[in-house]
Amino acid sequence: MRTDKFMKDLKISKKKPSYPISDRLNKYLTEYNRNSKITILYDDLLRFQGAITVYDKDDIDTLWVRVYFSEFDREEIDLSLKKVYSRLHSDGNVTANAYLNIDAIDYCTFGNSKPFRVKIRNIINDNYTYFYVKKADASRIYGLELEQMLSPYQLNFMVHGNTLIEEHIAGIPGDEFIKNNLPDCSEREKSQIAKEFVKFNERCMIRLLGDMRAYNYVIVPTHDFDHVVFKIRAIDFDQQCYEGKFKVYRPQFFKENLKLVQLVAKKFTQESIDQYKIEERSIVAKRMISYNDRIAQLLDCMVNDEISNTGNIELLKSKIYDHTLDLEFKKSKNMGEILKNALNFVKRNYEDMNTQDF
């Protein structure tokens, strides 16, 4: 992995427009049980009366503000959010609502989606979790669905009109982990993290998920017998198939990830890096085969949708052609076709390898 000037020069669009959900995508979401009737919409939460800044344990501004509502609105909003939680995590049965409490509603003005973060607590056992209320953006929904099918992780979300409800993805934010946890990791753990970063980098590139700077993914430690296993998981899907710069889809080129890139260079030879890339491509190809019909339907939605601009499309297909020398990319007319050709490229290579004699 390179640690050259491209890490300093790489920039993405300051503001990505929000794209509406097409009729075709809406039908897809209904078929796969992602559409759900809910009693509160994103715009309803914008009726807050005021807000206070949320600071972390070190008194640093988190860029979130805690909002508050009028007494009349708060009662209605709390009840609706409890119903949303029940639909998201259960069968929608409201009998448990009496034991739930909405502890906080936070709003973030940083980034494209401007989400609300809802903290909900079980008052009997004091366990709590979060979920997010966001504007429904077609790019993000495509990103969530591709994460569900092409990554090792399951995602729980639902859509209603212009509102997207997402479950919280638990983990240590990448920037915090790199700063506070990575220096204390053992050499064995650092090697394992480096391996995961190579695989994460490859997976993002294959499915064209952009802007994986350190604060847009989490690192999830899991204790396994006598050691800790680290996984890297994306948490922001706004930049799915939008940017024209190919490097935006490769986390290794963001300066925020420099320490992980340096770790990879320190721990692995190029042969090992190539091995882990091949492993990840094979895993993605296997997932494509297992989700064959569903991913074909999603790609059909993308091919018939507008989720980027002409300049980005022309630049990206040119850059990927330079990377692969596959003429299919030059024929691509939109981002959906570029992604479809990228996934087919990976799938063909996997199938060709599996037809060779041992």
Side-chain angles (χ1 to χ4, degrees):
M1 287 189 169
R2 300 172 64 179
T3 58
D4 59 17
K5 65 181 181 70
F6 291 111
M7 300 193 86
K8 297 180 181 179
D9 297 340
L10 183 57
K11 294 181 181 179
I12 64 171
S13 300
K14 292 183 178 180
K15 182 68 175 178
K16 182 190 81 66
S18 179
Y19 290 96
I21 298 173
S22 66
D23 291 341
R24 195 182 295 256
L25 178 57
N26 190 55
K27 290 178 182 178
Y28 170 92
L29 293 171
T30 300
E31 179 175 351
Y32 289 100
N33 209 28
R34 296 297 200 186
N35 269 332
S36 180
K37 290 185 178 180
I38 56 177
T39 57
I40 191 168
L41 301 177
Y42 177 88
D43 291 343
D44 295 327
L45 295 181
L46 292 174
R47 303 201 312 258
F48 60 84
Q49 299 294 302
I52 57 174
T53 301
V54 178
Y55 296 95
D56 66 14
K57 58 183 177 61
D58 298 316
D59 288 329
I60 298 174
D61 188 347
T62 62
L63 303 178
W64 290 82
V65 294
R66 187 146 297 164
V67 301
Y68 55 87
F69 299 82
S70 68
E71 186 175 347
F72 173 79
D73 281 342
R74 183 67 196 233
E75 184 177 351
E76 179 186 358
I77 286 171
D78 279 12
L79 179 59
S80 296
L81 290 174
K82 290 175 186 179
K83 291 179 180 178
V84 167
Y85 172 81
S86 297
R87 281 187 176 274
L88 186 65
H89 290 282
S90 185
D91 59 358
N93 192 312
V94 298
T95 55
N97 285 1
Y99 309 109
L100 299 175
N101 188 69
I102 305 298
D103 278 7
I105 303 173
D106 298 333
Y107 178 61
C108 182
T109 58
F110 177 73
N112 290 315
S113 58
K114 293 191 168 89
F116 286 93
R117 180 179 63 197
V118 180
K119 181 180 179 181
I120 186 165
R121 177 172 56 91
N122 186 305
I123 61 178
I124 296 177
N125 53 40
D126 218 32
N127 284 328
Y128 66 87
T129 187
Y130 299 92
F131 65 88
Y132 298 85
V133 183
K134 304 178 179 180
K135 283 185 177 179
D137 170 43
S139 300
R140 186 175 186 90
I141 290 170
Y142 285 127
L144 289 164
E145 277 293 296
L146 288 165
E147 182 76 1
Q148 169 77 22
M149 290 185 273
L150 300 181
S151 84
Y153 311 110
Q154 299 294 305
L155 277 175
N156 193 12
F157 72 92
M158 57 189 189
V159 180
H160 179 67
N162 71 337
T163 300
L164 170 65
I165 308 294
E166 280 184 49
E167 69 176 352
H168 176 65
I169 298 175
I172 305 170
D175 52 345
E176 291 185 19
F177 184 92
I178 292 169
K179 179 181 177 181
N180 302 320
N181 300 78
L182 186 60
D184 296 327
C185 290
S186 67
E187 291 305 311
R188 178 179 177 181
E189 289 171 340
K190 288 178 179 178
S191 181
Q192 199 257 325
I193 293 166
K195 174 184 174 182
E196 283 302 309
F197 185 72
V198 172
K199 287 175 167 271
F200 178 68
N201 186 79
E202 192 70 10
R203 187 161 65 246
C204 292
M205 181 187 70
I206 290 170
R207 44 80 60 95
L208 298 181
L209 176 62
D211 194 18
M212 281 299 108
R213 287 174 282 188
Y215 49 77
N216 285 333
Y217 60 81
V218 293
I219 296 182
V220 185
T222 304
H223 289 268
D224 183 25
F225 294 106
D226 60 345
H227 68 289
V228 179
V229 176
F230 296 90
K231 299 293 184 182
I232 302 179
R233 189 171 178 188
I235 59 171
D236 193 316
F237 304 94
D238 286 336
Q239 292 285 343
Q240 175 66 54
C241 292
Y242 175 74
E243 288 287 340
K245 301 184 186 76
F246 188 35
K247 290 185 176 68
V248 168
Y249 303 103
R250 305 170 73 182
Q252 70 183 84
F253 287 106
F254 287 104
K255 62 181 181 181
E256 292 86 351
N257 298 325
L258 177 58
K259 288 188 177 179
L260 294 185
V261 175
Q262 291 172 332
L263 193 61
V264 171
K266 178 182 176 182
K267 291 292 183 181
F268 302 140
T269 63
Q270 187 59 49
E271 288 77 11
S272 294
I273 294 172
D274 291 341
Q275 174 198 337
Y276 295 140
K277 287 182 177 181
I278 292 171
E279 287 179 8
E280 190 61 29
R281 289 175 202 158
S282 298
I283 292 170
V284 169
K286 289 176 183 177
R287 292 193 187 107
M288 288 172 58
I289 293 170
S290 65
Y291 276 102
N292 185 53
D293 292 340
R294 182 169 177 174
I295 202 166
Q297 285 181 262
L298 185 70
L299 289 172
D300 181 61
C301 293
M302 294 185 76
V303 165
N304 289 279
D305 210 343
E306 178 187 348
I307 52 175
S308 188
N309 58 57
T310 302
N312 285 350
I313 293 166
E314 292 300 316
L315 178 59
L316 184 60
K317 72 181 188 180
S318 171
K319 292 297 182 183
I320 298 183
Y321 169 75
D322 292 341
H323 187 72
T324 62
L325 300 180
D326 187 337
L327 287 171
E328 291 301 315
F329 288 105
K330 284 194 170 184
K331 302 175 186 176
S332 301
K333 298 182 181 64
N334 53 47
M335 283 294 184
E337 290 190 4
I338 293 174
L339 178 62
K340 185 175 182 179
N341 287 326
L343 295 179
N344 284 339
F345 181 84
V346 171
K347 186 178 178 182
R348 282 199 310 272
N349 286 346
Y350 170 77
E351 291 173 339
D352 289 345
M353 288 295 295
N354 278 272
T355 56
Q356 294 179 7
D357 294 330
F358 287 96

